[in-house]
Amino acid sequence: MPELPEVTALAAFVAERASGLALERIDVAAFSALKTFDLSVSSLAGAKVQGARRYGKFLSVDFGGTYLICHLSRGGWLQWRDELPAAPARPGRGPLALRVRLEGGCGWDLTEAGTQKRLAVYLVRDPQQVPGIARLGPDALDPQFDAAAFAALLVDRRKQIKGLLTEQTTIAGIGNAYSDEILHAAKFSPFKLASSFTPEEAERLHTAMRTILADAVERSVGQQAATLKAEKKTGLRVHGRAGEACPVCGDTIREVSFSDSSLQYCPACQTGGAVLADRRMSKFGVRS
């Protein structure tokens, strides 16, 4: 799933390529992806792209006061094309969900791989009309979201820290991959309860969060949309690397699998050497 760094980079990429260009048309190929109906996509014809920005993990493109907003979910992506087909895209069962064709024939496709179709597109006058945006917590890289504000969010939260970091109503922008990276950098178990953090531990976690995300943004912004996925993978130290050696201590990176996701961690760095149980197989937190 694209997270804060990748969506930041996609917004910068779209703004650079598309700003000032007029919209020719929007083709909706997967009607289930379109979540709003008050405004017709055809009503945007002729509007010029004024810019693009990120809200949490949402990508917003400004067409002069009307906003085309998408959430790429797990299998979605934005594919820029300098030359899109002239013929309108037809609804079908393929990966194409929506096509945005700009003047001159360039534009982008929103595609979604896999059978679970969760990509969502909104056309609104105000980004706050998108329910997921209206519910967002403070952005993980907001300068005002300092260590004290972060620590305050942990107080009395009897929730595992991995889940809290990815809870968008609490902190906006972090997903499965970067939460693994943040916890590895800060040397905390993903199952540690948020309420158990001391002020010093909370500050350490906040520092890791800001450092990991800022470094990822720096690597990502300026990349072509087509290369962002590969760039993300090369920068990850533990996520998606089960069975490999930890780059910090050399221990074997382990994995905990859930019904529809997994996490990766280093036992030596994060859990005092304890191997956490696979949650599909055991209700206990540590394997005996």
Side-chain angles (χ1 to χ4, degrees):
M1 176 185 289
E3 301 177 36
L4 183 155
E6 294 77 48
V7 182
T8 299
L10 286 174
F13 178 82
V14 170
E16 179 184 359
R17 292 293 189 94
S19 288
L21 297 180
L23 177 73
E24 285 191 4
R25 68 171 188 270
I26 295 176
D27 300 333
V28 180
F31 291 106
S32 61
L34 190 61
K35 305 302 182 185
T36 53
F37 304 98
D38 291 343
L39 298 174
S40 168
V41 293
S42 61
S43 68
L44 272 186
K48 291 186 176 182
V49 176
Q50 301 296 317
R53 62 162 293 180
R54 175 187 62 79
Y55 295 90
K57 292 187 283 185
F58 290 84
L59 172 65
S60 173
V61 181
D62 179 5
F63 283 92
T66 301
Y67 301 87
L68 182 67
I69 297 176
C70 71
H71 190 286
L72 295 169
S73 193
R74 182 175 297 178
W77 197 246
L78 183 149
Q79 298 181 347
W80 177 269
R81 296 192 186 185
D82 291 327
E83 267 189 57
L84 286 167
R90 295 182 177 181
R93 296 183 178 180
L96 180 64
L98 184 135
R99 173 168 292 162
V100 179
R101 181 182 171 91
L102 304 173
E103 62 177 299
C106 64
W108 65 89
D109 288 342
L110 295 180
T111 61
E112 186 170 25
T115 57
Q116 292 186 335
K117 301 301 183 182
R118 297 175 179 172
L119 184 147
V121 179
Y122 308 83
L123 188 61
V124 294
R125 297 289 190 194
D126 181 351
Q128 293 299 318
Q129 292 176 294
V130 177
I133 292 178
R135 294 193 298 264
L136 288 175
D139 192 83
L141 286 183
D142 186 337
Q144 295 185 350
F145 186 44
D146 58 15
F150 178 78
L153 292 179
L154 308 186
V155 176
D156 297 329
R157 288 298 304 273
R158 293 193 60 79
K159 184 180 181 75
Q160 292 171 350
I161 191 61
K162 164 79 174 182
L164 186 139
L165 287 175
T166 60
E167 187 176 71
Q168 298 304 296
T169 54
T170 300
I171 303 171
I174 304 172
N176 193 31
Y178 288 108
S179 59
D180 282 353
E181 296 299 302
I182 291 164
L183 290 168
H184 176 254
K187 300 185 181 299
F188 291 119
S189 167
F191 294 160
K192 180 177 172 66
L193 290 180
S195 58
S196 70
F197 277 73
T198 66
E200 293 75 18
E201 288 175 332
E203 183 173 4
R204 192 168 95 217
L205 183 58
H206 178 267
T207 299
M209 176 185 74
R210 300 298 286 258
T211 301
I212 291 293
L213 294 176
D215 288 350
V217 168
E218 185 176 357
R219 291 194 312 270
S220 300
V221 172
Q223 293 278 335
Q224 301 288 318
T227 63
L228 271 173
K229 288 183 181 180
E231 175 58 36
K232 177 178 181 178
K233 289 181 180 178
T234 60
L236 299 177
R237 289 186 157 200
V238 291
H239 184 79
R241 300 191 182 278
E244 298 180 21
C246 171
V248 175
C249 72
D251 194 10
T252 301
I253 295 170
R254 303 286 186 138
E255 180 173 284
V256 177
S257 295
F258 303 89
S259 60
D260 61 350
S261 65
S262 63
L263 64 83
Q264 289 79 41
Y265 69 100
C266 171
C269 289
Q270 296 175 252
T271 62
V275 177
L276 305 175
D278 190 319
R279 289 303 174 97
R280 295 175 303 179
M281 306 296 293
S282 171
K283 65 180 180 181
F284 300 107
V286 180
R287 185 164 54 208
S288 59

